[in-house]
Amino acid sequence: MRLTIVGCSGSVPGPASASSSYLLEADDAAGRTWRLALDMGAGAMGALQRFCDPRDLDAVLISHLHPDHCADLAHLDTYLKYHPEGPFEPVPVYGPFGTSKRIQQMAGADDVTDKLPCTVWQASGETRIGPFLITVEAVRHPVPAYAMRIEGPSEHRARASAILTYTGDTDECDGLDVAAAGADVLLSEASFLTTDDAPAGIHLTGLAAGEVAERAQVGRLILTHIPPWADCPSIEAEAARGFSGDIALARPGMRVEA
Ligand SMILES: [Zn+2]
Ligand SMILES: [Zn+2]
């Protein structure tokens, strides 16, 4: 599997990055490349076009319905409907209950289900899309939110699989630990510092992201969803106190193989 960071700015878009969006690609046994977008936050539709044509997405997986994770679904709807070479084929969307209505509200459209048919996540349920097997776990955030555990073909080992876990937005919780267990790559939000005196039940601190990675014994930790106002180096340093393995900060255009 090949992960590309499309947007990684936390909570709001930043001067150098769109909000949360990640492109995950893998080839099936017949050599066909499958493409998933993990979240489609504010600004993601613009940045995504640097890496693929949005019409080529096989699905969009939405962690939760905060605008920094789903706002640009409205623009994907517009692209599929009104591109001069279109209209294009529908792109299936998977998300929490209410995803379809939220897109409809943002798009100001009567109906978006013709181009963006939505399937509601079932916690701990499995979804197969091409070579990807996706399991979502309910996590701890002020609105219904899911972490995604995605198994797909390894880029490094022939006929073997790899696991990438994306936390979405969450504080520490059992669902997050289940989703992260043994992942090759943990793409984890890290929005706060322990010194922020931040309220519980919303986001991970850098230290908590590191501790989740350590408990889960993941291969590599990629820190993301750091807000533009946050102290990036300090968040990374906190994570390194919690996790003894390899840590990197997400940046737009970064590619990670699993
Ligand atoms: Zn967020
Ligand atoms: Zn959120």
Side-chain angles (χ1 to χ4, degrees):
M1 291 186 286
R2 305 176 294 277
L3 175 75
T4 302
I5 309 294
V6 176
C8 55
S9 184
S11 300
V12 298
S17 177
S19 292
S20 290
S21 191
Y22 311 93
L23 176 65
L24 187 63
E25 298 171 292
D27 305 326
D28 66 17
R32 186 249 211 234
T33 299
W34 292 73
R35 294 180 180 85
L36 305 177
L38 316 183
D39 279 339
M40 186 72 72
M45 260 300 287
L48 179 65
Q49 292 167 71
R50 291 168 53 198
F51 309 110
C52 78
D53 190 318
R55 80 181 85 169
D56 294 332
L57 291 172
D58 292 290
V60 181
L61 315 183
I62 297 295
S63 65
H64 67 295
L65 295 179
H66 279 155
D68 58 318
H69 297 259
C70 72
D72 274 22
L73 283 169
H75 298 311
L76 179 59
D77 179 63
T78 301
Y79 188 95
L80 298 175
K81 278 179 181 157
Y82 301 117
H83 191 293
E85 291 167 23
F88 298 131
E89 291 297 305
V91 174
V93 177
Y94 295 76
F97 179 79
T99 298
S100 194
K101 183 155 186 222
R102 182 61 56 88
I103 306 170
Q104 202 174 313
Q105 289 166 337
M106 292 188 300
D110 293 333
D111 187 17
V112 296
T113 54
D114 54 337
K115 290 297 166 206
L116 298 174
C118 293
T119 301
V120 176
W121 289 128
Q122 302 295 329
S124 306
E126 290 184 345
T127 303
R128 166 78 62 186
I129 300 172
F132 299 110
L133 181 65
I134 301 131
T135 312
V136 294
E137 300 293 343
V139 291
R140 190 175 164 213
H141 200 52
V143 298
Y146 297 90
M148 303 170 195
R149 180 182 176 87
I150 303 174
E151 186 175 345
S154 168
E155 285 300 306
H156 305 296
R157 303 181 302 273
R159 291 179 297 283
S161 61
I163 292 168
L164 176 135
T165 295
Y166 168 48
T167 62
D169 282 3
T170 181
D171 200 346
E172 289 186 87
C173 62
D174 291 344
L176 177 57
D177 286 347
V178 169
D184 296 273
V185 174
L186 176 62
L187 177 64
S188 176
E189 75 122 297
S191 309
F192 294 147
L193 284 167
T194 49
T195 51
D196 283 342
D197 199 21
I202 303 179
H203 288 301
L204 296 170
T205 62
L207 179 61
E211 289 174 345
V212 169
E214 188 71 25
R215 274 199 301 277
Q217 290 291 291
V218 305
R220 189 174 185 200
L221 172 61
I222 313 289
L223 299 172
T224 190
H225 198 279
I226 298 176
W229 52 75
D231 176 357
C232 252
S234 295
I235 288 178
E236 187 178 18
E238 274 200 357
R241 274 168 39 211
F243 181 52
S244 53
D246 182 34
I247 299 174
L249 282 175
R251 61 179 191 282
M254 176 182 180
R255 302 196 67 152
V256 177
E257 293 186 347

